[in-house]
Each structure stands twice: as structure tokens, then as C-alpha cells.
Amino acid sequence: MNQEAIYSIVIPAFNEEIIINETYVKLKKIMDSLNEEYELVFINDGSIDNTSSILKEICNKDKHVRLLDFSRNFGHQIAISAGIDHATGKAVVIIDADLQDPPEVIPQMIKKWKEGYEVIYGKRSKRKGETIFKKITAYLFYRLLKYLTNYEIPADTGDFRLIDYKVCNALRSISEKSRFMRGIISWIGFKQTFIEYVREERKAGESKYPLRKMIHFALDGITSFSYRPLRLATYIGLFLSAGAFLYFFYAVYQYFFNVRTVQGWTSTIAATVLFNGIILVMLGIIGEYVGRIYEETKDRPLYILREKVGFKE
Ligand code: UDP
Ligand code: MG
């Protein structure tokens, strides 16, 4: 390919050997039909199956395809960042490798981009084939996030979106380690709009987001966009101290003016357990932030590449 790509499609993949070829074929078909230059940038996020060798084979026979091969699993959000770092398109589309985000929506996004929008995100009007648990937690998470942050992070969106190269340049200048991409892209601004789509079920394989990763992801989202939890800890602390202060006077009063002083073992234990619990939770909240400060101060690169395939030097 001699010409620079107009469109770059960024596809992070972690252990997706059973679906990755189908994803490639679908994306290729849609992008070919547009008759404009494009590139497909796959990121192999340290898969331990054959994802990498399948992608290399595809690279070797199709000049539109590139591969960033990570040295290990760095995580979905970092894989997306690597794709954006290396994309050359005037517009970049981020899409999952499991065909949950329908590639058919891409031409609609491109149409909006041509109308002058700089970020076109996919909004899930419906989620198919996901567990009730995932649906409920996702629903609650986006509402909580909205309550906690001052930025307009749109609810019920994923990372499936088209972004203009200007937005990519802005993203490249952001060096944060804990990355909540959908939030960062909202934070960047520019002219944004959305397209509603039905989130399909995963075509094959299983979710690479177990509960542990989901919680981590949610905490990243909240802590990188809000310090309201810290403030909440302060308020609760003040409120409880006020209560304790009043109780102190009550106890002293009892001691001096009442014959029958405090007998309570129960009340002591209850207060101790309650207050210690609350203090530990508050320390935990502070710890979440301190841990992230620690992460940010380490000057390590965001990801490490084993190799790049299909890129022009
Ligand atoms: N993914 C990744 N690294 C990870 C986990 C996931 O690159 O550590 C990719 C995965 O291959 C898929 C996308 O991120 O293309 C979304 O993951 P998944 O479909 O498992 O998440 P879900 O749709 O269940 O939220
Ligand atoms: Mg998925």
C-alpha cells in the first residue's frame, strides 16, 4: 500500500483464536466495500493461544493488515492505546475482536465523520447474550460514574467508536497508566455524537473480563475521574466524630451525675467494630488513590512490543 490509510481500524485481541479470522473477514469485506484506503491494526495482547500466529499469517497475505504483538498481557485499555499510537488513519475506529460490536455500524460512523463530527461513539441500546449480573452491574456502574464525576461520560457506551486523528494526537500526548479510555476521550472534548446499536452476543469464545478485571476496570474509571469518594470519606468521618463527641459528653455527665454508670459491654463492642470497619474502608479508599499515584510515578513504558508486523518503516 503506497497511500496513507484514511481509516485505521484498531482491534485488541486476547485469546481470540476461534473468532479472529472471522472478524478479519467481516471487517475486510466492509472496508473493501467503501473503496477508500484503510488499514486493520490488530493488537495481540499477550494471548497464550494461536491468536498471534493466525494474525501473522493474515498480515503476510494482506497488505492492509498490521499486527502489534505485546510481550505479555497488558490489558484491553492499553492494547487500544497501542493501536491508536500506531494508527496512521485520518479517522480511527476502535472495535472489539469478538464481533459484539457490529462492523456494519462502521460505515454509519464514517458518514457522521464526513459530516464533521470528531468523535462518534456507539451507544448500546440493547445488550444481547450477556448475563443479568453483567447487565445490572454495568447499568449501576455508569450511573454511579455519572454521579461521581463532573465530566460528561456517556452512559452505556463501550470503546466501540470512531475518533478523528486530532483526537488521536491528543490521546498520544496523555501518558496516564491507569487508562479508562472512554472517559479520557470524553474528557478530551471535540465535536461528539453517537450512534445507537444493538450489542450482539459474543460470537465465539468467552468474555475476557472476569469479575476481578471488571472491578479493577470500574475502580480505574472512578478514581481517574473523581476524587469525590475521598471527600465522601471526609464527610463521613466528620459526621461520626460529631456523634462521638456528643456521646463523650453524655458519658461524662453520666459518670458525675448518675449513680448508675455505664455497664455496657455490647455498646463498647458495637461502637468499636463499627468505627473500625468504617476507618478501614476509608483507608482502603485512600489506598486506591495512593496506589495509583505510585503507578503513575513509575516511569515505565505503557506496553512492550515483541514485534510489529506489516508496518512500513
Ligand atoms: N481484551 C484484550 N485484553 C484483555 C482482555 C480483553 O485485548 O486483557 C480484548 C478482547 O479480546 C476483546 C475486547 O478486549 O476484543 C473486549 O473483551 P471481552 O469481549 O472479553 O469483554 P466483554 O465484551 O465481555 O466486556
Ligand atoms: Mg466482548
Side-chain angles (χ1 to χ4, degrees), residues 11-16 43-45 73-77 79-80 95-98 100 124 127 130 134 199 202 206-209 213-214:
I11 314 121
F14 176 51
N15 293 342
E16 304 284 10
I43 301 93
N44 171 39
D45 185 12
N73 179 251
F74 279 88
H76 179 203
Q77 302 291 298
I80 292 174
I95 189 166
D96 282 358
D98 57 1
Q100 277 196 285
R124 302 153 177 174
R127 288 165 164 250
E130 280 177 337
K134 180 133 186 169
R199 178 127 163 119
R202 197 176 234 283
E206 46 192 51
S207 173
K208 305 302 178 303
Y209 266 98
K213 273 195 191 172
M214 263 165 67

Side-chain angles (χ1 to χ4, degrees), residues 118-282:
E118 290 151 318
V119 175
I120 299 103
Y121 54 87
K123 194 168 163 64
R124 302 153 177 174
S125 60
K126 215 162 126 187
R127 288 165 164 250
K128 283 197 199 161
E130 280 177 337
T131 58
I132 297 282
F133 178 74
K134 180 133 186 169
K135 282 183 192 166
I136 292 177
T137 48
Y139 181 87
L140 291 177
F141 170 66
Y142 284 110
R143 270 68 199 171
L144 179 69
L145 193 65
K146 197 176 168 61
Y147 165 72
L148 288 174
T149 61
N150 297 323
Y151 308 103
E152 272 303 312
I153 301 176
D156 308 320
T157 63
D159 288 309
F160 181 35
R161 58 189 66 208
L162 180 149
I163 56 182
D164 188 84
Y165 77 97
K166 294 192 280 295
V167 180
C168 287
N169 282 340
L171 279 172
R172 289 180 194 127
S173 71
I174 290 174
S175 61
E176 280 171 44
K177 301 289 190 324
S178 60
R179 307 192 140 229
F180 183 65
M181 293 302 277
R182 53 199 80 166
I184 293 175
I185 294 175
S186 304
W187 176 88
I188 287 178
F190 288 99
K191 218 173 143 194
Q192 311 214 358
T193 186
F194 64 91
I195 288 182
E196 285 207 49
Y197 73 103
V198 175
R199 178 127 163 119
E200 297 294 332
E201 50 194 309
R202 197 176 234 283
K203 286 287 176 303
E206 46 192 51
S207 173
K208 305 302 178 303
Y209 266 98
L211 185 62
R212 175 179 57 81
K213 273 195 191 172
M214 263 165 67
I215 292 175
H216 195 100
F217 181 67
L219 287 176
D220 268 351
I222 292 170
T223 51
S224 51
F225 283 93
S226 169
Y227 58 86
R228 226 166 260 177
L230 285 175
R231 197 169 275 170
L232 203 66
T234 314
Y235 290 156
I236 294 174
L238 283 174
F239 179 73
L240 288 177
S241 313
F245 201 62
L246 293 177
Y247 190 78
F248 169 79
F249 282 114
Y250 169 73
V252 172
Y253 173 84
Q254 287 276 317
Y255 179 78
F256 283 114
F257 300 102
N258 252 338
V259 196
R260 234 192 60 202
T261 44
V262 194
Q263 336 152 314
W265 177 83
T266 316
S267 60
T268 315
I269 289 293
T272 312
V273 170
L274 177 73
F275 278 76
N276 279 331
I278 290 167
I279 289 167
L280 285 178
V281 169
M282 287 179 181

